[in-house]
Amino acid sequence: MRWFPKHVDTAIANELSQSLLGVHLPLKKALALEEASLLARLLISRGVNDGNAAKAFLFPTLSDLHSSFLMSGMKTALERLEAAIERKEKILIYGDYDVDGTTAIVILKTAIELCGGSADFHVPHRIREGYGMKDEVIERAAADGVRLIVSVDTGIRAFAAADTARRTGIDLIVTDHHLPGTEGVPTALAVLNPNQDGCGYPCKALCGAGVAFKLAQGLMERKLDRPDQSRLLMSFMKVVAIATIADAVPLTGENRVFAKLGLEALRAPVNVGLKALLEVAQLGGKPLTSSEVAFRVAPRLNAAGRMDVARDVIDLFSVKDPVQAREIASRLDKLNAERQEEERRILDEITKRLEQEPALHEAFCIVIDGDGWHRGVIGITASRVVDKYCKPTLIISRDGEEAHGSGRSIRAFHLLQALESCRDLFSRYGGHAHAVGFALPSAKIVELRSQLDAHARTCLTTKDFEPSLEYDAEIDLSDISPSLHRLLQQMEPFGQGNPEPVLVARGARVLAPPKIVKDKHVKLKLATATV
């Protein structure tokens, strides 16, 4: 494994450390010089270079949220949504089946109801319908009298669906965070996506629920009294935090506001469904970390869309009866256990094939397919393969003549651009730099494997596949203390864009043989070499 330090400009670090000397962290006196110097290095390596930015990073508040109106299309979207509420029109929210899409539905549906309207929703079945907006769903909505559809976490490449909406007399508002294609964005009444050309919204890395939240924020600012706005925004922050952490978007800028304030608010959940979910995840009544949300809360919400019907998530957040909430949460817990077992089965099969087939093992981009692999777990299985082999990976489930796949990538390889290089092979595709989803004829899998490997060899070298450790700073073992722990806690929540700090202490020796704890942790005692 390669070790290398993060580069930090010494002059900027010295200036920032001086501005941090007067900062009081919770339950602690002002920072000492050594602590301020370390904190300055950590902040600078995460893009925080001055005192004001440091304060916003360490102590975010609701006032740090950007105005919704900085997002292109927001004014038009809000005016149409307000008109629909005032005229009691039927509104349909069209979402996605993962945790980002289902929580986005919860956020926007709740906001519309709080502002005096009502909205139905459609969340597709992963297997029967697949990803994206479908013409037949829009046509049924039109026949049922719907005149406004708002997409959440989907729609940025839904050109045919936008045409169908226009043809059937439906106004379409697209809210999405996935990258638009080279052909631009669909022709809709309004498109809300910070990544579209010409949008000056400061935070480009919002998840789908984050974009839906900005629409909800703007709606509540126009329709509700100011005291209610702040209280409700904090209430929504819990759900936005779960989605933001689950979707692995960078926890910087506005996303950090969502995650930090949301995790704090999750200490005292009010929603009976959320309470039940935390209880089945054995997290009730305690402060949560981003890791616990990512690995214990989000998988249970995702399990609904992966293994069964994703509308269970919306129902969970909507029920008022604690008994019914517990039943839904227990069902999600059971589905998650089934998901884990299916994931292990597929991963074992993939591991054996990679060991037995040299061409697959030596590929620069792993493309591996299997008959009947559960489409709900191939994405997370791809993540496991990337973690183990440090190579971009696409896993494909064949179902007769049609195949569906999910991909995950490494930092050095932009996966969506790789798919763009062989776009003619796909029936549909989309995603971003690190994760993609797609469909294609089974007969084209061999050609896809060949083209992606050739593309990867133009972008990557074997060094890109070597595990590496990028560390923040070097310290002495004697520097490790409760004070240091409190300092590092203030950097939470950790995740993409704000990884857990890595500190190097050289010259350490192990005092006794390491102990294995619960088959996955190592416990050991260290001392400096001079002891």
Side-chain angles (χ1 to χ4, degrees):
M1 177 179 285
R2 295 180 295 159
W3 289 23
F4 54 94
K6 294 180 180 177
H7 173 72
V8 172
D9 186 291
T10 303
I12 296 176
N14 289 338
E15 184 176 346
L16 180 56
S17 64
Q18 288 298 316
S19 69
L20 291 171
L21 285 175
V23 171
H24 285 72
L25 300 185
L27 305 177
K28 190 181 179 300
K29 62 183 180 181
L31 292 175
L33 179 59
E34 296 79 6
E35 295 170 325
S37 296
L38 175 58
L39 183 57
R41 288 189 61 87
L42 296 175
L43 291 170
I44 291 169
S45 67
R46 288 152 179 79
V48 180
N49 297 319
D50 60 65
N52 289 333
K55 182 180 178 182
F57 183 93
L58 296 170
F59 311 108
T61 66
L62 283 178
S63 62
D64 293 313
L65 294 175
H66 302 304
S67 167
S68 295
F69 290 94
L70 295 176
M71 192 175 294
S72 295
M74 183 62 70
K75 183 175 182 293
T76 300
L78 286 173
E79 288 175 349
R80 181 63 183 90
L81 199 50
E82 282 187 284
I85 292 172
E86 291 170 5
R87 295 196 292 254
K88 305 297 182 184
E89 291 182 20
K90 288 186 175 182
I91 303 170
L92 178 70
I93 304 172
Y94 200 131
D96 187 25
Y97 40 67
D98 67 359
V99 62
D100 193 17
T102 51
T103 53
I105 292 174
V106 170
I107 290 166
L108 188 56
K109 185 175 187 295
T110 304
I112 290 172
E113 291 168 352
L114 288 169
C115 292
S118 63
D120 199 358
F121 66 91
H122 178 79
V123 55
H125 190 283
R126 181 187 288 265
I127 306 302
R128 292 195 293 268
E129 295 179 64
Y131 178 79
M133 303 179 71
K134 298 294 184 290
D135 292 348
E136 55 269 26
V137 175
I138 296 171
E139 288 168 348
R140 285 200 305 270
D144 193 40
V146 171
R147 289 296 172 262
L148 175 62
I149 292 179
V150 185
S151 78
V152 291
D153 193 35
T154 189
I156 198 61
R157 299 190 180 211
F159 294 96
D163 291 341
T164 300
R166 191 166 55 254
R167 173 174 54 80
T168 56
I170 289 177
D171 289 328
L172 173 64
I173 298 172
V174 173
T175 79
D176 201 355
H177 72 120
H178 296 99
L179 298 179
T182 55
E183 61 271 45
V185 300
T187 302
L189 177 71
V191 176
L192 308 183
N193 186 328
N195 294 298
Q196 65 179 308
D197 288 343
C199 182
Y201 195 75
C203 186
K204 300 293 185 183
L206 296 176
C207 67
V211 180
F213 171 82
K214 300 309 296 186
L215 181 58
Q217 177 188 348
L219 183 64
M220 290 190 294
E221 286 175 355
R222 292 166 71 112
K223 300 286 288 184
L224 302 179
D225 294 334
R226 185 168 294 277
D228 290 335
Q229 293 173 27
S230 297
R231 177 178 57 83
L232 291 170
L233 287 177
M234 281 303 301
S235 179
F236 282 122
M237 210 64 65
K238 306 182 189 81
V239 184
V240 185
I242 292 172
T244 298
I245 293 168
D247 214 54
V249 293
L251 298 185
T252 57
E254 195 168 36
N255 285 337
R256 179 169 173 82
V257 181
F258 295 152
K260 182 87 167 178
L261 298 185
L263 286 176
E264 291 173 359
L266 280 168
R267 296 182 181 188
V270 176
N271 182 278
V272 294
L274 184 54
K275 282 184 177 179
L277 178 66
L278 295 180
E279 287 171 4
V280 299
Q282 299 180 346
L283 294 171
K286 58 171 286 188
L288 298 188
T289 66
S290 55
S291 293
E292 287 169 330
V293 169
F295 296 109
R296 296 176 68 177
V297 176
R300 286 168 169 82
L301 294 176
N302 257 332
R306 294 186 188 280
M307 306 300 291
D308 194 42
V309 181
R311 71 172 297 130
D312 276 351
V313 175
I314 296 93
D315 291 340
L316 176 70
F317 284 93
S318 302
V319 297
K320 306 300 181 186
D321 178 27
V323 175
Q324 189 178 359
R326 181 74 186 197
E327 290 174 354
I328 299 173
S330 297
R331 185 158 66 245
L332 295 179
D333 190 51
K334 182 175 182 292
L335 288 171
N336 187 52
E338 294 174 4
R339 186 272 307 170
Q340 290 173 322
E341 182 58 35
E342 182 67 9
E343 179 191 326
R344 279 191 291 268
R345 185 186 70 80
I346 296 174
L347 188 58
D348 287 345
E349 188 174 337
I350 289 172
T351 301
K352 289 177 183 177
R353 287 181 55 184
L354 285 169
E355 292 172 351
Q356 296 170 0
E357 300 179 34
L360 281 177
H361 188 271
E362 294 167 8
F364 274 41
C365 180
I366 296 172
V367 178
I368 191 164
D369 58 297
D371 276 323
W373 284 349
H374 198 295
R375 283 156 50 186
V377 303
I378 55 177
I380 195 168
T381 307
S383 296
R384 302 283 186 261
V385 176
V386 172
D387 291 342
K388 184 172 183 178
Y389 296 97
C390 298
K391 291 183 177 181
T393 300
L394 275 65
I395 297 182
I396 302 172
S397 173
R398 293 193 311 270
D399 183 13
E401 296 181 356
E402 184 74 5
H404 299 82
S406 287
R408 301 294 184 268
S409 195
I410 59 177
R411 183 168 55 179
F413 192 69
H414 196 298
L415 199 51
L416 183 58
Q417 289 180 0
L419 265 58
E420 295 275 10
S421 73
C422 48
R423 59 165 54 197
D424 292 342
L425 298 178
F426 300 105
S427 308
R428 65 177 186 275
Y429 68 96
H432 47 79
H434 303 294
V436 295
F438 56 90
L440 78 168
S442 297
K444 294 186 177 181
I445 293 175
V446 173
E447 188 176 355
L448 174 66
R449 181 179 293 115
S450 175
Q451 289 197 29
L452 281 181
D453 189 53
H455 177 81
R457 289 176 186 274
T458 67
C459 308
L460 301 172
T461 69
T462 54
K463 281 191 174 182
D464 292 314
F465 308 140
E466 295 178 18
S468 61
L469 177 67
E470 188 178 29
Y471 63 89
D472 290 280
E474 294 195 25
I475 62 171
D476 293 325
L477 279 181
S478 60
D479 294 330
I480 300 175
S481 65
S483 176
L484 176 64
H485 181 250
R486 285 192 294 268
L487 180 73
L488 298 181
Q489 278 185 312
Q490 200 60 40
M491 298 290 295
E492 293 182 351
F494 301 120
Q496 292 290 329
N498 181 33
E500 290 190 64
V502 177
L503 305 176
V504 170
R506 300 186 186 274
R509 63 187 179 89
V510 180
L511 291 179
K515 295 181 180 179
I516 306 299
V517 181
K518 295 182 179 179
D519 295 325
K520 51 182 162 182
H521 302 293
V522 177
K523 185 177 182 179
L524 67 163
K525 289 185 178 182
L526 299 174
T528 58
T530 57
V531 174

